[in-house]
Amino acid sequence: MIRIIAFLAVVVLLGAGFSWLADRPGELFIIWQGQRVEMTLMVAAVLVVGLIAIVMFGWWIVRSIWTSPQSISRYFRARKRDRGYQALSTGLIAVGSGDAPLARKMLDRTKGLLRAETEPLVLLLDAQACLIEGRTDEARQKFERMAEDPETRELGLRGLYLEAIRLGAHEAARHYAEKAVEKAPHLPWAAEATLEYRVQAGRFDDAIRLLETQRVLNGMDRKQHDRKKAVLLTGRGLSKFETDPKGAREDAVQALKLDPTLIPAATLAAKAYLRENNLRKAQNVLEAAYKLNPQMELATAYAHAGGGTSLERLRRTEKLEAMRPDAYETLYTVAAAALDARDFIKARAKAEMAARIDPRESIYLLMADIEEAQTGDQGRVRYWLALALRAERDPEWVADGQVSAHWLPISPITGRLDAFEWKKAYAPVAGRLEDGTTATAADAFGALPDVSAPAEDAEEAEIPTPVATVAVVEPVTAPAKPATVTPVEAAVEPVPFFGRPPDDPGVKKQTAETPSNGFKLF
C-alpha cells in the first residue's frame, strides 16, 4: 500500500512539473564545440528524463549480468532448502503416525539437504525417529545434545523429561523440570511439573512462589490461580497443623477467601479455631461452607464441634437442618444425632426422609442401627443390612481411581495437584434390575408414605397379603381368645419398612398367651 501511494505521488509530481513548464515556455541554447543547439525548455526536460531512464536501465542490465552467478546459486540453494523442509515435514508426520521406516528415510534425505547446525528440527526428527525405533539410549543422547544448545535447550529438556517419566525415573524428571524452570520460567509444562514435585517434597513456600511467577509471566486465569493457591495454602496448613495451629488457621482462612468451596480448608480452619477454644468462629466457618456445599465432613465436624452431650449435638444438627433442610447430609446427621440421644421417633423419621432423597449405603446401615436400638428385631436388622449391600456407596475422596480417607493436595498415584474429588467411587455390589438399572428405595419398599403423618396412620396402612402357593387344610378348632395388648405397648410398637413387612421377619418369641392353632392327625 505504501509503495502504491509513493508511486502515485511521483507520477503526480512529474505531471505537475511538466504542466508548470508548459505554462512557462522558453528557449534553451547550448553552444558546444562551435555548434549552437537550440530547443524549447519542454524538449530539454523530456530529454533529461529520458537520459536518466536510459542510464538506470543500462545499470540494471550490467548489474544483473554481474550478479547472475550468485543469483543462480541462490536459486538452486533455495530449491534444495525447500526440498529439505519438505522431507523434514514428511518425516515429522511419519514420526507422529509411528511410521519408523518412512521417518528414517526422510531423516536421511533431510540430512543430505539441510544441516543440523542451521536447522534444529533435524535433531528433533533424529531423536524422535530413534524413539519410535526403540533406541532410547541414542534418543537420550540426542536430547542431551539439544539441551546443551541455547537455541534448543527447552526442546531437549522436555524430551529428556518425557523420557524420564516414561521410564519411571521421577528423580531425573524432577531434575529436568527444575532446570527448565530455572532457564525458562514461562514454560507451562515445566512449571506444572516443578509445582507438583515441590508439593510432594513438602516445599509449599517454593511452590507458592513459583505459582505467583507463573501468573505474572503466563497471564494465568485468575480463577485457576486462586484455586491452585488455595489448595497449596490448605496443604501447607495441614502439614503444620500439629506444630503451628495458628499458622495453619491463617493459611486455611486465606484459602477460603480465594475459594470458599474448598471443603478441606473449612474443616482445617474449624479445627484450628477449636484448638484456640474459639467455638463461635469454628461454627461460623463450617456454617458458611455448608451453605455453599453441604458435605458429610462439614456436617460431622459441625455436629461434634465443641463436644457436649448427645442432646447438645442433636440441637447443633438441627441448626444445619434450618440452613439446608433438603440435603441428604443434613437429614443423615440429624438422624444419627437423634439415635445417639435415644430419640428413636425423630431418628427414624429423618432417616426415612434421607432415604427418599438418596438411598445410599450409609442410610440403610443407620436404619439397621435404629432398628437394633429400638426394637432389637434381628430379622428387620438383616433386612436393612441386605438393602445396604444393594445400595450405592457414599461419596468419598477419590483421585485417579484411588480412594482416600482424607483429602490431600496432590494425587498419591500421579502427583497431580488438586486431583481429589468428593464423589461416589463404586457402584452398588448388587441390586441390578433386569433392564440394567440400579434398584432404588421405591423398588425396595414400594410407595413411601409421608413420614410427617402420625404413627396411628402408619399402623393402619394396608399391608399386602402374600398369595399362598400350597393348599392348607384349616383345622376345626375353637376360636382362640385374642391376645391382650396394653396401650403402652401399642404406642411403642414402631412401623418400619414404610408400611411393608420385612422379607425376613426373624424369630418370633413364643409366649404363654399365644394361642395354638395347630391340629393333630391322630
mmCIF file of all heavy atoms in Angstrom, residues 162-207:
data_model
loop_
_atom_site.group_PDB
_atom_site.id
_atom_site.type_symbol
_atom_site.label_atom_id
_atom_site.label_comp_id
_atom_site.label_asym_id
_atom_site.label_seq_id
_atom_site.Cartn_x
_atom_site.Cartn_y
_atom_site.Cartn_z
ATOM 1 N N LEU A 162 10.148 -36.086 29.393
ATOM 2 C CA LEU A 162 9.145 -37.065 28.992
ATOM 3 C C LEU A 162 9.719 -38.475 28.984
ATOM 4 O O LEU A 162 9.043 -39.443 29.363
ATOM 5 C CB LEU A 162 8.594 -36.710 27.606
ATOM 6 C CG LEU A 162 7.785 -35.410 27.526
ATOM 7 C CD1 LEU A 162 7.375 -35.133 26.082
ATOM 8 C CD2 LEU A 162 6.561 -35.493 28.420
ATOM 9 N N GLU A 163 10.966 -38.614 28.569
ATOM 10 C CA GLU A 163 11.596 -39.938 28.553
ATOM 11 C C GLU A 163 11.801 -40.447 29.967
ATOM 12 O O GLU A 163 11.620 -41.641 30.255
ATOM 13 C CB GLU A 163 12.928 -39.857 27.806
ATOM 14 C CG GLU A 163 13.624 -41.200 27.622
ATOM 15 C CD GLU A 163 12.838 -42.161 26.766
ATOM 16 O OE1 GLU A 163 11.897 -41.723 26.071
ATOM 17 O OE2 GLU A 163 13.162 -43.365 26.791
ATOM 18 N N ALA A 164 12.171 -39.563 30.889
ATOM 19 C CA ALA A 164 12.328 -39.975 32.289
ATOM 20 C C ALA A 164 10.985 -40.384 32.900
ATOM 21 O O ALA A 164 10.900 -41.352 33.657
ATOM 22 C CB ALA A 164 12.958 -38.842 33.097
ATOM 23 N N ILE A 165 9.925 -39.659 32.564
ATOM 24 C CA ILE A 165 8.589 -40.026 33.053
ATOM 25 C C ILE A 165 8.190 -41.393 32.517
ATOM 26 O O ILE A 165 7.619 -42.241 33.234
ATOM 27 C CB ILE A 165 7.566 -38.958 32.656
ATOM 28 C CG1 ILE A 165 7.812 -37.674 33.452
ATOM 29 C CG2 ILE A 165 6.145 -39.456 32.869
ATOM 30 C CD1 ILE A 165 7.526 -37.802 34.927
ATOM 31 N N ARG A 166 8.488 -41.643 31.247
ATOM 32 C CA ARG A 166 8.124 -42.930 30.651
ATOM 33 C C ARG A 166 8.858 -44.085 31.311
ATOM 34 O O ARG A 166 8.299 -45.170 31.497
ATOM 35 C CB ARG A 166 8.427 -42.901 29.142
ATOM 36 C CG ARG A 166 7.920 -44.108 28.383
ATOM 37 C CD ARG A 166 8.355 -44.057 26.932
ATOM 38 N NE ARG A 166 9.793 -44.188 26.806
ATOM 39 C CZ ARG A 166 10.442 -45.356 26.800
ATOM 40 N NH1 ARG A 166 9.770 -46.491 26.911
ATOM 41 N NH2 ARG A 166 11.754 -45.391 26.679
ATOM 42 N N LEU A 167 10.095 -43.857 31.686
ATOM 43 C CA LEU A 167 10.893 -44.912 32.322
ATOM 44 C C LEU A 167 10.643 -44.996 33.824
ATOM 45 O O LEU A 167 11.183 -45.890 34.477
ATOM 46 C CB LEU A 167 12.382 -44.669 32.053
ATOM 47 C CG LEU A 167 12.815 -44.732 30.579
ATOM 48 C CD1 LEU A 167 14.293 -44.376 30.448
ATOM 49 C CD2 LEU A 167 12.554 -46.126 30.000
ATOM 50 N N GLY A 168 9.878 -44.069 34.384
ATOM 51 C CA GLY A 168 9.625 -44.081 35.820
ATOM 52 C C GLY A 168 10.744 -43.490 36.653
ATOM 53 O O GLY A 168 10.760 -43.680 37.876
ATOM 54 N N ALA A 169 11.657 -42.784 36.037
ATOM 55 C CA ALA A 169 12.759 -42.151 36.766
ATOM 56 C C ALA A 169 12.312 -40.764 37.230
ATOM 57 O O ALA A 169 12.614 -39.738 36.596
ATOM 58 C CB ALA A 169 14.003 -42.062 35.875
ATOM 59 N N HIS A 170 11.575 -40.730 38.325
ATOM 60 C CA HIS A 170 10.972 -39.484 38.770
ATOM 61 C C HIS A 170 12.008 -38.483 39.285
ATOM 62 O O HIS A 170 11.808 -37.272 39.158
ATOM 63 C CB HIS A 170 9.942 -39.784 39.855
ATOM 64 C CG HIS A 170 8.793 -40.618 39.366
ATOM 65 N ND1 HIS A 170 7.836 -40.128 38.509
ATOM 66 C CD2 HIS A 170 8.476 -41.918 39.585
ATOM 67 C CE1 HIS A 170 6.958 -41.079 38.236
ATOM 68 N NE2 HIS A 170 7.316 -42.174 38.878
ATOM 69 N N GLU A 171 13.090 -38.967 39.862
ATOM 70 C CA GLU A 171 14.133 -38.049 40.316
ATOM 71 C C GLU A 171 14.769 -37.323 39.133
ATOM 72 O O GLU A 171 15.014 -36.118 39.177
ATOM 73 C CB GLU A 171 15.189 -38.808 41.112
ATOM 74 C CG GLU A 171 14.729 -39.235 42.498
ATOM 75 C CD GLU A 171 14.422 -38.036 43.379
ATOM 76 O OE1 GLU A 171 15.109 -36.997 43.237
ATOM 77 O OE2 GLU A 171 13.487 -38.113 44.193
ATOM 78 N N ALA A 172 15.049 -38.082 38.063
ATOM 79 C CA ALA A 172 15.606 -37.455 36.865
ATOM 80 C C ALA A 172 14.600 -36.488 36.235
ATOM 81 O O ALA A 172 14.969 -35.393 35.780
ATOM 82 C CB ALA A 172 16.014 -38.527 35.861
ATOM 83 N N ALA A 173 13.334 -36.879 36.216
ATOM 84 C CA ALA A 173 12.304 -35.992 35.670
ATOM 85 C C ALA A 173 12.224 -34.700 36.474
ATOM 86 O O ALA A 173 12.087 -33.604 35.906
ATOM 87 C CB ALA A 173 10.958 -36.713 35.664
ATOM 88 N N ARG A 174 12.289 -34.823 37.797
ATOM 89 C CA ARG A 174 12.257 -33.626 38.633
ATOM 90 C C ARG A 174 13.449 -32.718 38.330
ATOM 91 O O ARG A 174 13.321 -31.491 38.255
ATOM 92 C CB ARG A 174 12.267 -34.027 40.100
ATOM 93 C CG ARG A 174 12.207 -32.841 41.068
ATOM 94 C CD ARG A 174 12.500 -33.282 42.469
ATOM 95 N NE ARG A 174 13.833 -33.864 42.581
ATOM 96 C CZ ARG A 174 14.955 -33.157 42.641
ATOM 97 N NH1 ARG A 174 14.913 -31.839 42.613
ATOM 98 N NH2 ARG A 174 16.130 -33.764 42.721
ATOM 99 N N HIS A 175 14.635 -33.333 38.121
ATOM 100 C CA HIS A 175 15.843 -32.546 37.815
ATOM 101 C C HIS A 175 15.673 -31.780 36.507
ATOM 102 O O HIS A 175 15.988 -30.571 36.430
ATOM 103 C CB HIS A 175 17.044 -33.482 37.723
ATOM 104 C CG HIS A 175 18.258 -32.843 37.130
ATOM 105 N ND1 HIS A 175 19.029 -31.912 37.804
ATOM 106 C CD2 HIS A 175 18.845 -32.992 35.899
ATOM 107 C CE1 HIS A 175 20.029 -31.513 37.034
ATOM 108 N NE2 HIS A 175 19.933 -32.155 35.875
ATOM 109 N N TYR A 176 15.163 -32.430 35.479
ATOM 110 C CA TYR A 176 14.995 -31.758 34.189
ATOM 111 C C TYR A 176 13.935 -30.661 34.275
ATOM 112 O O TYR A 176 14.083 -29.590 33.658
ATOM 113 C CB TYR A 176 14.616 -32.781 33.118
ATOM 114 C CG TYR A 176 15.716 -33.768 32.819
ATOM 115 C CD1 TYR A 176 15.464 -35.148 32.793
ATOM 116 C CD2 TYR A 176 17.012 -33.344 32.562
ATOM 117 C CE1 TYR A 176 16.466 -36.064 32.524
ATOM 118 C CE2 TYR A 176 18.035 -34.253 32.288
ATOM 119 C CZ TYR A 176 17.757 -35.611 32.272
ATOM 120 O OH TYR A 176 18.762 -36.510 32.009
ATOM 121 N N ALA A 177 12.858 -30.905 35.016
ATOM 122 C CA ALA A 177 11.818 -29.880 35.157
ATOM 123 C C ALA A 177 12.354 -28.665 35.914
ATOM 124 O O ALA A 177 12.095 -27.506 35.528
ATOM 125 C CB ALA A 177 10.604 -30.472 35.873
ATOM 126 N N GLU A 178 13.102 -28.909 36.979
ATOM 127 C CA GLU A 178 13.690 -27.798 37.736
ATOM 128 C C GLU A 178 14.653 -27.001 36.864
ATOM 129 O O GLU A 178 14.671 -25.755 36.913
ATOM 130 C CB GLU A 178 14.411 -28.346 38.965
ATOM 131 C CG GLU A 178 13.511 -28.928 40.040
ATOM 132 C CD GLU A 178 13.011 -27.854 40.986
ATOM 133 O OE1 GLU A 178 13.322 -26.662 40.758
ATOM 134 O OE2 GLU A 178 12.311 -28.207 41.953
ATOM 135 N N LYS A 179 15.438 -27.685 36.063
ATOM 136 C CA LYS A 179 16.394 -26.998 35.192
ATOM 137 C C LYS A 179 15.668 -26.172 34.137
ATOM 138 O O LYS A 179 16.090 -25.049 33.803
ATOM 139 C CB LYS A 179 17.316 -28.020 34.528
ATOM 140 C CG LYS A 179 18.490 -27.415 33.784
ATOM 141 C CD LYS A 179 19.433 -28.495 33.287
ATOM 142 C CE LYS A 179 20.618 -27.877 32.550
ATOM 143 N NZ LYS A 179 21.559 -28.926 32.060
ATOM 144 N N ALA A 180 14.566 -26.722 33.604
ATOM 145 C CA ALA A 180 13.802 -25.982 32.601
ATOM 146 C C ALA A 180 13.165 -24.735 33.209
ATOM 147 O O ALA A 180 13.135 -23.673 32.581
ATOM 148 C CB ALA A 180 12.727 -26.892 32.000
ATOM 149 N N VAL A 181 12.663 -24.852 34.439
ATOM 150 C CA VAL A 181 12.073 -23.682 35.110
ATOM 151 C C VAL A 181 13.142 -22.632 35.385
ATOM 152 O O VAL A 181 12.901 -21.424 35.279
ATOM 153 C CB VAL A 181 11.367 -24.117 36.410
ATOM 154 C CG1 VAL A 181 11.048 -22.925 37.289
ATOM 155 C CG2 VAL A 181 10.095 -24.866 36.077
ATOM 156 N N GLU A 182 14.349 -23.081 35.731
ATOM 157 C CA GLU A 182 15.428 -22.137 36.005
ATOM 158 C C GLU A 182 15.823 -21.364 34.756
ATOM 159 O O GLU A 182 16.084 -20.152 34.814
ATOM 160 C CB GLU A 182 16.633 -22.907 36.552
ATOM 161 C CG GLU A 182 17.826 -22.028 36.871
ATOM 162 C CD GLU A 182 19.033 -22.829 37.328
ATOM 163 O OE1 GLU A 182 18.880 -24.062 37.532
ATOM 164 O OE2 GLU A 182 20.106 -22.232 37.481
ATOM 165 N N LYS A 183 15.867 -22.044 33.611
ATOM 166 C CA LYS A 183 16.273 -21.388 32.372
ATOM 167 C C LYS A 183 15.122 -20.644 31.700
ATOM 168 O O LYS A 183 15.332 -19.575 31.100
ATOM 169 C CB LYS A 183 16.854 -22.428 31.404
ATOM 170 C CG LYS A 183 18.070 -23.168 31.931
ATOM 171 C CD LYS A 183 19.248 -22.224 32.144
ATOM 172 C CE LYS A 183 20.485 -22.987 32.618
ATOM 173 N NZ LYS A 183 21.638 -22.079 32.842
ATOM 174 N N ALA A 184 13.908 -21.224 31.775
ATOM 175 C CA ALA A 184 12.745 -20.617 31.110
ATOM 176 C C ALA A 184 11.537 -20.760 32.029
ATOM 177 O O ALA A 184 10.761 -21.707 31.895
ATOM 178 C CB ALA A 184 12.493 -21.295 29.760
ATOM 179 N N PRO A 185 11.365 -19.860 32.981
ATOM 180 C CA PRO A 185 10.262 -19.995 33.943
ATOM 181 C C PRO A 185 8.886 -19.814 33.333
ATOM 182 O O PRO A 185 7.893 -20.046 34.011
ATOM 183 C CB PRO A 185 10.559 -18.886 34.963
ATOM 184 C CG PRO A 185 11.409 -17.910 34.237
ATOM 185 C CD PRO A 185 12.211 -18.693 33.252
ATOM 186 N N HIS A 186 8.804 -19.408 32.077
ATOM 187 C CA HIS A 186 7.498 -19.202 31.451
ATOM 188 C C HIS A 186 6.914 -20.484 30.871
ATOM 189 O O HIS A 186 5.758 -20.478 30.428
ATOM 190 C CB HIS A 186 7.629 -18.176 30.327
ATOM 191 C CG HIS A 186 8.560 -18.607 29.235
ATOM 192 N ND1 HIS A 186 9.938 -18.453 29.335
ATOM 193 C CD2 HIS A 186 8.331 -19.199 28.032
ATOM 194 C CE1 HIS A 186 10.504 -18.913 28.241
ATOM 195 N NE2 HIS A 186 9.565 -19.377 27.441
ATOM 196 N N LEU A 187 7.684 -21.583 30.853
ATOM 197 C CA LEU A 187 7.189 -22.818 30.256
ATOM 198 C C LEU A 187 6.101 -23.429 31.140
ATOM 199 O O LEU A 187 6.348 -23.767 32.299
ATOM 200 C CB LEU A 187 8.340 -23.819 30.082
ATOM 201 C CG LEU A 187 9.410 -23.445 29.053
ATOM 202 C CD1 LEU A 187 10.520 -24.479 29.055
ATOM 203 C CD2 LEU A 187 8.795 -23.309 27.668
ATOM 204 N N PRO A 188 4.884 -23.639 30.637
ATOM 205 C CA PRO A 188 3.805 -24.173 31.476
ATOM 206 C C PRO A 188 4.068 -25.598 31.954
ATOM 207 O O PRO A 188 3.808 -25.928 33.115
ATOM 208 C CB PRO A 188 2.576 -24.101 30.559
ATOM 209 C CG PRO A 188 2.921 -23.085 29.518
ATOM 210 C CD PRO A 188 4.403 -23.214 29.320
ATOM 211 N N TRP A 189 4.589 -26.473 31.066
ATOM 212 C CA TRP A 189 4.786 -27.868 31.468
ATOM 213 C C TRP A 189 5.843 -27.974 32.557
ATOM 214 O O TRP A 189 5.697 -28.757 33.509
ATOM 215 C CB TRP A 189 5.192 -28.700 30.254
ATOM 216 C CG TRP A 189 6.573 -28.387 29.710
ATOM 217 C CD1 TRP A 189 6.880 -27.518 28.726
ATOM 218 C CD2 TRP A 189 7.814 -28.952 30.152
ATOM 219 N NE1 TRP A 189 8.237 -27.479 28.506
ATOM 220 C CE2 TRP A 189 8.838 -28.363 29.365
ATOM 221 C CE3 TRP A 189 8.170 -29.881 31.101
ATOM 222 C CZ2 TRP A 189 10.172 -28.687 29.523
ATOM 223 C CZ3 TRP A 189 9.509 -30.213 31.264
ATOM 224 C CH2 TRP A 189 10.491 -29.624 30.485
ATOM 225 N N ALA A 190 6.901 -27.204 32.437
ATOM 226 C CA ALA A 190 7.960 -27.252 33.441
ATOM 227 C C ALA A 190 7.474 -26.695 34.771
ATOM 228 O O ALA A 190 7.763 -27.251 35.843
ATOM 229 C CB ALA A 190 9.177 -26.473 32.952
ATOM 230 N N ALA A 191 6.720 -25.611 34.722
ATOM 231 C CA ALA A 191 6.206 -25.029 35.962
ATOM 232 C C ALA A 191 5.223 -25.967 36.647
ATOM 233 O O ALA A 191 5.246 -26.131 37.871
ATOM 234 C CB ALA A 191 5.538 -23.687 35.664
ATOM 235 N N GLU A 192 4.347 -26.608 35.877
ATOM 236 C CA GLU A 192 3.363 -27.522 36.463
ATOM 237 C C GLU A 192 4.055 -28.717 37.102
ATOM 238 O O GLU A 192 3.718 -29.129 38.220
ATOM 239 C CB GLU A 192 2.392 -27.988 35.378
ATOM 240 C CG GLU A 192 1.201 -28.760 35.887
ATOM 241 C CD GLU A 192 0.218 -27.891 36.640
ATOM 242 O OE1 GLU A 192 0.232 -26.663 36.419
ATOM 243 O OE2 GLU A 192 -0.545 -28.430 37.450
ATOM 244 N N ALA A 193 5.024 -29.292 36.395
ATOM 245 C CA ALA A 193 5.735 -30.443 36.949
ATOM 246 C C ALA A 193 6.540 -30.058 38.187
ATOM 247 O O ALA A 193 6.525 -30.769 39.197
ATOM 248 C CB ALA A 193 6.657 -31.040 35.883
ATOM 249 N N THR A 194 7.220 -28.934 38.131
ATOM 250 C CA THR A 194 8.006 -28.492 39.279
ATOM 251 C C THR A 194 7.110 -28.181 40.463
ATOM 252 O O THR A 194 7.452 -28.468 41.619
ATOM 253 C CB THR A 194 8.829 -27.246 38.904
ATOM 254 O OG1 THR A 194 9.627 -27.544 37.747
ATOM 255 C CG2 THR A 194 9.733 -26.830 40.034
ATOM 256 N N LEU A 195 5.947 -27.622 40.192
ATOM 257 C CA LEU A 195 4.990 -27.334 41.258
ATOM 258 C C LEU A 195 4.568 -28.617 41.974
ATOM 259 O O LEU A 195 4.536 -28.691 43.207
ATOM 260 C CB LEU A 195 3.779 -26.632 40.657
ATOM 261 C CG LEU A 195 2.832 -25.919 41.626
ATOM 262 C CD1 LEU A 195 3.530 -24.716 42.234
ATOM 263 C CD2 LEU A 195 1.576 -25.489 40.896
ATOM 264 N N GLU A 196 4.275 -29.654 41.197
ATOM 265 C CA GLU A 196 3.867 -30.925 41.802
ATOM 266 C C GLU A 196 5.012 -31.566 42.588
ATOM 267 O O GLU A 196 4.794 -32.106 43.679
ATOM 268 C CB GLU A 196 3.372 -31.857 40.700
ATOM 269 C CG GLU A 196 2.096 -31.364 40.021
ATOM 270 C CD GLU A 196 1.721 -32.202 38.816
ATOM 271 O OE1 GLU A 196 2.505 -33.130 38.486
ATOM 272 O OE2 GLU A 196 0.668 -31.944 38.209
ATOM 273 N N TYR A 197 6.220 -31.501 42.052
ATOM 274 C CA TYR A 197 7.359 -32.100 42.756
ATOM 275 C C TYR A 197 7.649 -31.357 44.055
ATOM 276 O O TYR A 197 8.005 -31.982 45.072
ATOM 277 C CB TYR A 197 8.593 -32.097 41.851
ATOM 278 C CG TYR A 197 8.530 -33.125 40.745
ATOM 279 C CD1 TYR A 197 8.719 -32.770 39.416
ATOM 280 C CD2 TYR A 197 8.273 -34.470 41.026
ATOM 281 C CE1 TYR A 197 8.657 -33.710 38.399
ATOM 282 C CE2 TYR A 197 8.213 -35.412 40.011
ATOM 283 C CZ TYR A 197 8.402 -35.031 38.707
ATOM 284 O OH TYR A 197 8.331 -35.954 37.706
ATOM 285 N N ARG A 198 7.504 -30.056 44.046
ATOM 286 C CA ARG A 198 7.754 -29.303 45.277
ATOM 287 C C ARG A 198 6.695 -29.593 46.332
ATOM 288 O O ARG A 198 7.001 -29.639 47.529
ATOM 289 C CB ARG A 198 7.801 -27.811 44.959
ATOM 290 C CG ARG A 198 9.046 -27.407 44.165
ATOM 291 C CD ARG A 198 9.083 -25.917 43.866
ATOM 292 N NE ARG A 198 10.288 -25.557 43.114
ATOM 293 C CZ ARG A 198 10.584 -24.331 42.704
ATOM 294 N NH1 ARG A 198 9.744 -23.333 42.970
ATOM 295 N NH2 ARG A 198 11.700 -24.091 42.035
ATOM 296 N N VAL A 199 5.470 -29.799 45.912
ATOM 297 C CA VAL A 199 4.420 -30.159 46.872
ATOM 298 C C VAL A 199 4.684 -31.548 47.440
ATOM 299 O O VAL A 199 4.497 -31.792 48.638
ATOM 300 C CB VAL A 199 3.039 -30.083 46.196
ATOM 301 C CG1 VAL A 199 1.951 -30.598 47.127
ATOM 302 C CG2 VAL A 199 2.725 -28.652 45.796
ATOM 303 N N GLN A 200 5.116 -32.471 46.595
ATOM 304 C CA GLN A 200 5.453 -33.815 47.081
ATOM 305 C C GLN A 200 6.561 -33.764 48.123
ATOM 306 O O GLN A 200 6.539 -34.524 49.096
ATOM 307 C CB GLN A 200 5.876 -34.706 45.908
ATOM 308 C CG GLN A 200 4.740 -35.090 44.979
ATOM 309 C CD GLN A 200 5.216 -35.953 43.829
ATOM 310 O OE1 GLN A 200 6.388 -36.344 43.768
ATOM 311 N NE2 GLN A 200 4.330 -36.250 42.903
ATOM 312 N N ALA A 201 7.507 -32.874 47.937
ATOM 313 C CA ALA A 201 8.618 -32.748 48.882
ATOM 314 C C ALA A 201 8.261 -31.894 50.088
ATOM 315 O O ALA A 201 9.100 -31.720 50.980
ATOM 316 C CB ALA A 201 9.835 -32.160 48.173
ATOM 317 N N GLY A 202 7.044 -31.354 50.129
ATOM 318 C CA GLY A 202 6.642 -30.508 51.251
ATOM 319 C C GLY A 202 7.161 -29.085 51.177
ATOM 320 O O GLY A 202 7.084 -28.356 52.176
ATOM 321 N N ARG A 203 7.655 -28.653 50.020
ATOM 322 C CA ARG A 203 8.184 -27.300 49.855
ATOM 323 C C ARG A 203 7.062 -26.383 49.367
ATOM 324 O O ARG A 203 7.055 -25.896 48.236
ATOM 325 C CB ARG A 203 9.340 -27.317 48.867
ATOM 326 C CG ARG A 203 10.520 -28.175 49.314
ATOM 327 C CD ARG A 203 11.467 -28.483 48.170
ATOM 328 N NE ARG A 203 11.892 -27.270 47.485
ATOM 329 C CZ ARG A 203 12.521 -27.279 46.311
ATOM 330 N NH1 ARG A 203 12.773 -28.440 45.713
ATOM 331 N NH2 ARG A 203 12.891 -26.148 45.740
ATOM 332 N N PHE A 204 6.089 -26.142 50.233
ATOM 333 C CA PHE A 204 4.913 -25.371 49.840
ATOM 334 C C PHE A 204 5.260 -23.907 49.587
ATOM 335 O O PHE A 204 4.662 -23.271 48.700
ATOM 336 C CB PHE A 204 3.838 -25.482 50.921
ATOM 337 C CG PHE A 204 3.208 -26.845 51.004
ATOM 338 C CD1 PHE A 204 3.626 -27.766 51.948
ATOM 339 C CD2 PHE A 204 2.201 -27.204 50.127
ATOM 340 C CE1 PHE A 204 3.046 -29.021 52.025
ATOM 341 C CE2 PHE A 204 1.609 -28.461 50.197
ATOM 342 C CZ PHE A 204 2.042 -29.369 51.148
ATOM 343 N N ASP A 205 6.200 -23.365 50.335
ATOM 344 C CA ASP A 205 6.571 -21.962 50.118
ATOM 345 C C ASP A 205 7.160 -21.766 48.732
ATOM 346 O O ASP A 205 6.806 -20.798 48.023
ATOM 347 C CB ASP A 205 7.575 -21.521 51.185
ATOM 348 C CG ASP A 205 6.975 -21.519 52.583
ATOM 349 O OD1 ASP A 205 5.740 -21.396 52.692
ATOM 350 O OD2 ASP A 205 7.735 -21.664 53.563
ATOM 351 N N ASP A 206 8.068 -22.661 48.323
ATOM 352 C CA ASP A 206 8.640 -22.568 46.976
ATOM 353 C C ASP A 206 7.563 -22.758 45.917
ATOM 354 O O ASP A 206 7.592 -22.108 44.860
ATOM 355 C CB ASP A 206 9.738 -23.618 46.802
ATOM 356 C CG ASP A 206 10.920 -23.367 47.710
ATOM 357 O OD1 ASP A 206 11.090 -22.211 48.158
ATOM 358 O OD2 ASP A 206 11.679 -24.324 48.010
ATOM 359 N N ALA A 207 6.628 -23.664 46.168
ATOM 360 C CA ALA A 207 5.553 -23.903 45.206
ATOM 361 C C ALA A 207 4.672 -22.664 45.044
ATOM 362 O O ALA A 207 4.281 -22.309 43.919
ATOM 363 C CB ALA A 207 4.719 -25.094 45.647
#
